[in-house]
Amino acid sequence: MDSPSSIGDSLTARMIPRHSSLDSFGAMKVSLLVNLASIRVSKEELRQRVMLPKYLRLAIRDSILRKDDSSSSVAPPLDNNNYLTPEVPLIVFVNPKSGGRQGPLIKERLQNLISEEQVFDLTEVKPHVFIRYGLGCLETLASQGDEYAKDIREKMRIVVAGGDGTVGWVLGCLGELNLQNRLPVPPVSIMPLGTGNDLSRSFGWGGSFPFAWKSAIKRTLHRASVSSISRLDSWNILITMPSGEIVDPPYSLKSTQECYIDQGVEIEGEMPPTTNGYEGVFYNYFSIGMDAQVAYGFHHLRNEKPYLANGPIANKIIYSGYGCSQGWFLTHCINDPGLRGLKNIMTLHIKKLDSSEWEKVPVPKSVRAVVALNLNSYGSGRNPWGNLKQDYLEKRGFVEAQADDGLLEIFGLKQGWHASFVMVELISAKHIAQAAAIRLEIRGGEWKDAFMQMDGEPWKQPMTKDYSTFVDIKRVPHQSLVVKGD
């Protein structure tokens, strides 16, 4: 084992600013619960448990810099007794734009706790680059007989410090290991630095990072190394549109030429003669309609003027403002085609679990947003699907919703007021269906654009009067592995 470098623990603890007494109370509550439930772990104990030997840290770093995993410029140790492999080696990804822009401070603390080479800034090293060259380096060394590299590759876990979009990005890149038959796939732990943090909430990592984050980071790394692993369904989405249409998709969607329109599904509009498409993976939800339109406006404002959206309260005020201006809460003119229900532009087909037949499902006339939900946490910890009683489940042909049951829960929101009441659990969402696969056909008519989002990443989807656009959603065969925080 390396002799750890001397790090000054006397550095003054930095406090992440909060903007709400309610948020502050929730953060203190989470911190208190973690303190009560955790055993104090020293930095030396943590390093012994999670830190890679120095020669391997340097080999991974050099392979990423050279973008070459074929060989290592760092020689393995000659004396095997000088090194011990960690019990659970950790690699950490940090999104510096998350955490109220406190990501750089958190990254610095993480690097001081374990090592600089095990903590990656996602603006500098993308997850697919680490997987290609960093993991590739370990696999190359293991194939050459390096037992340390082999053991670490098999035991490795990933920690993601960021929001839901960041976690989904890393999970999606790790999922490629299944296709490449590069097993095992490392499980992922979550350090919640985003706004909603629904993935984090669903797996026991909490909805926000606590006040005393300097000590909380140490406890989080320890929990990431000792907690059990659970499974999570992931969902592939394929958008097929007429050729020539221009779309600015989020980073989670990639252009693809492999577009296939299932002829076994009834098509109400016109088939485009030629197509192009985008493909991606989501873990929490996909939605279409007014909620995505509001999110799209907020997303662009935050990117253009980040100083306006620098905290939870500011975010919520701006978000509500967009909702009002777009007619999500108050419909300006009922005759405006842009404010009509989704029934006018969308047809919904589903496949039920263990069924190969498509079934057409009516879209309620009043619904202006349709959500396909995988987790039981949506919109910062709410459960719009609800904890339904057994007799209601049986009557509707539903089953209890789980994150690994191979089903998406589809529900509708009528407008902003309805959504607000659903979120505080005064009323329920409009239950539409449970599905193992989904096909949406979107017809333009007078509509020029449809707004969509998945896992908090919105985009504007162009539509035409002449041809339909299709959205196909199906479960990815391999489930993702997530470390439980509770």
Side-chain angles (χ1 to χ4, degrees):
M1 181 73 186
D2 305 333
S3 60
S5 59
S6 175
I7 306 296
D9 263 343
S10 60
L11 291 173
T12 302
R14 300 179 178 92
M15 306 296 285
I16 298 178
R18 310 292 293 198
H19 301 269
S20 166
S21 59
L22 182 60
D23 287 345
S24 299
F25 176 78
M28 286 188 289
K29 182 179 178 182
V30 171
S31 181
L32 178 60
L33 290 175
V34 171
N35 275 323
L36 292 174
S38 300
I39 299 174
R40 186 174 180 84
V41 180
S42 72
K43 182 165 63 177
E44 297 302 325
E45 292 173 331
L46 179 65
R47 287 186 161 199
Q48 290 176 10
R49 184 169 185 81
V50 306
M51 192 166 72
L52 277 64
K54 185 175 182 179
Y55 86 94
L56 285 179
R57 302 199 309 266
L58 296 178
I60 291 172
R61 182 200 63 185
D62 291 349
S63 292
I64 292 172
L65 291 174
R66 297 195 320 269
K67 290 185 168 50
D68 179 12
D69 64 348
S70 60
S71 62
S72 171
S73 61
V74 180
L78 298 176
D79 183 357
N80 291 346
N81 294 324
N82 285 342
Y83 288 90
L84 294 174
T85 57
E87 293 181 55
V88 183
L90 295 182
I91 293 293
V92 184
F93 291 109
V94 182
N95 184 348
K97 298 180 181 179
S98 299
R101 306 284 171 175
Q102 300 297 320
L105 298 179
I106 293 173
K107 180 183 76 171
E108 179 184 346
R109 172 62 174 163
L110 285 163
Q111 290 176 332
N112 288 340
L113 272 177
I114 44 179
S115 71
E116 290 188 10
E117 298 85 8
Q118 283 176 245
V119 180
F120 295 94
D121 185 326
L122 285 170
T123 62
E124 299 172 357
V125 178
K126 310 301 183 192
H128 70 273
V129 172
F130 168 79
I131 290 168
R132 173 67 179 87
Y133 302 108
L135 282 188
C137 169
L138 288 178
E139 291 165 354
T140 298
L141 291 172
S143 68
Q144 296 172 352
D146 189 326
E147 293 298 324
Y148 296 119
K150 179 180 179 182
D151 192 43
I152 286 171
R153 173 64 182 89
E154 291 175 351
K155 293 178 178 179
M156 179 175 291
R157 293 186 177 191
I158 305 292
V159 179
V160 181
D164 284 348
T166 306
V167 178
W169 183 20
V170 174
L171 285 172
C173 292
L174 289 172
E176 294 297 315
L177 292 172
N178 286 302
L179 302 178
Q180 300 166 9
N181 199 30
R182 295 169 60 189
L183 303 177
V185 178
V188 169
S189 305
I190 305 171
M191 190 176 294
L193 302 183
T195 302
N197 297 315
D198 289 296
L199 267 168
S200 176
R201 296 172 194 268
S202 296
F203 291 94
W205 292 101
S208 62
F209 214 54
F211 261 166
W213 60 269
K214 184 176 180 181
S215 57
I217 288 177
K218 190 190 300 182
R219 292 193 300 270
T220 298
L221 294 176
H222 176 71
R223 290 163 65 201
S225 70
V226 301
S227 298
S228 60
I229 298 170
S230 56
R231 294 182 178 275
L232 168 68
D233 287 334
S234 52
W235 297 86
N236 176 269
I237 181 170
L238 173 64
I239 301 171
T240 305
M241 68 189 78
S243 294
E245 295 298 323
I246 300 175
V247 62
D248 182 21
Y251 63 79
S252 50
L253 284 176
K254 305 299 180 185
S255 179
T256 179
Q257 300 300 318
E258 298 181 6
C259 299
Y260 169 72
I261 300 177
D262 190 342
Q263 300 295 325
V265 186
E266 175 188 357
I267 296 176
E268 296 193 355
E270 293 292 328
M271 288 277 294
T274 57
T275 63
N276 64 291
Y278 290 89
E279 189 173 20
V281 175
F282 69 92
Y283 300 86
N284 190 353
Y285 70 92
F286 165 83
S287 73
I288 176 173
M290 187 60 76
D291 69 323
Q293 183 173 347
V294 174
Y296 180 82
F298 172 76
H299 179 81
H300 276 264
L301 175 69
R302 185 172 58 181
N303 285 343
E304 294 171 3
K305 301 178 180 180
Y307 55 86
L308 293 179
N310 59 0
I313 292 298
N315 287 347
K316 290 174 183 177
I317 292 173
I318 296 171
Y319 206 96
S320 298
Y322 264 106
C324 293
S325 66
Q326 297 297 324
W328 183 219
F329 286 91
L330 298 173
T331 304
H332 303 304
C333 178
I334 198 66
N335 293 322
D336 185 341
L339 300 176
R340 294 175 185 167
L342 287 176
K343 181 180 177 66
N344 295 311
I345 66 164
M346 188 176 78
T347 303
L348 170 64
H349 287 84
I350 69 167
K351 282 183 182 180
K352 294 184 176 179
L353 196 64
D354 300 325
S355 174
S356 60
E357 299 296 324
W358 287 102
E359 174 185 332
K360 185 176 181 179
V361 177
V363 178
K365 185 177 180 180
S366 59
V367 163
R368 297 172 67 195
V370 169
V371 182
L373 183 65
N374 187 39
L375 303 178
N376 59 5
S377 183
Y378 168 84
S380 301
R382 279 69 175 183
N383 183 7
W385 184 256
N387 297 311
L388 307 181
K389 295 182 179 180
Q390 189 61 37
D391 56 348
Y392 179 82
L393 291 172
E394 293 176 357
K395 180 180 178 181
R396 295 294 303 270
F398 296 158
V399 297
E400 184 179 354
Q402 303 289 342
D404 59 352
D405 58 6
L407 290 170
L408 289 169
E409 283 66 53
I410 307 173
F411 61 88
L413 300 172
K414 299 177 182 179
Q415 52 350 66
W417 296 114
H418 178 241
S420 298
F421 291 142
V422 168
M423 293 306 170
V424 296
E425 299 182 353
L426 291 176
I427 59 177
S428 63
K430 191 75 174 178
H431 298 135
I432 297 176
Q434 282 183 316
I438 299 173
R439 151 68 69 84
L440 301 176
E441 180 187 353
I442 306 164
R443 306 172 304 281
E446 297 181 65
W447 295 53
K448 295 181 180 179
D449 301 294
F451 291 86
M452 303 179 184
Q453 64 173 332
M454 57 187 225
D455 289 354
E457 298 292 327
W459 73 94
K460 183 166 61 175
Q461 182 66 41
M463 297 188 297
T464 70
K465 293 183 178 180
D466 299 324
Y467 304 110
S468 294
T469 293
F470 301 90
V471 179
D472 288 277
I473 299 173
K474 62 181 180 179
R475 189 171 68 87
V476 175
H478 303 284
Q479 292 177 312
S480 297
L481 302 178
V482 182
V483 180
K484 298 179 68 174
D486 49 9

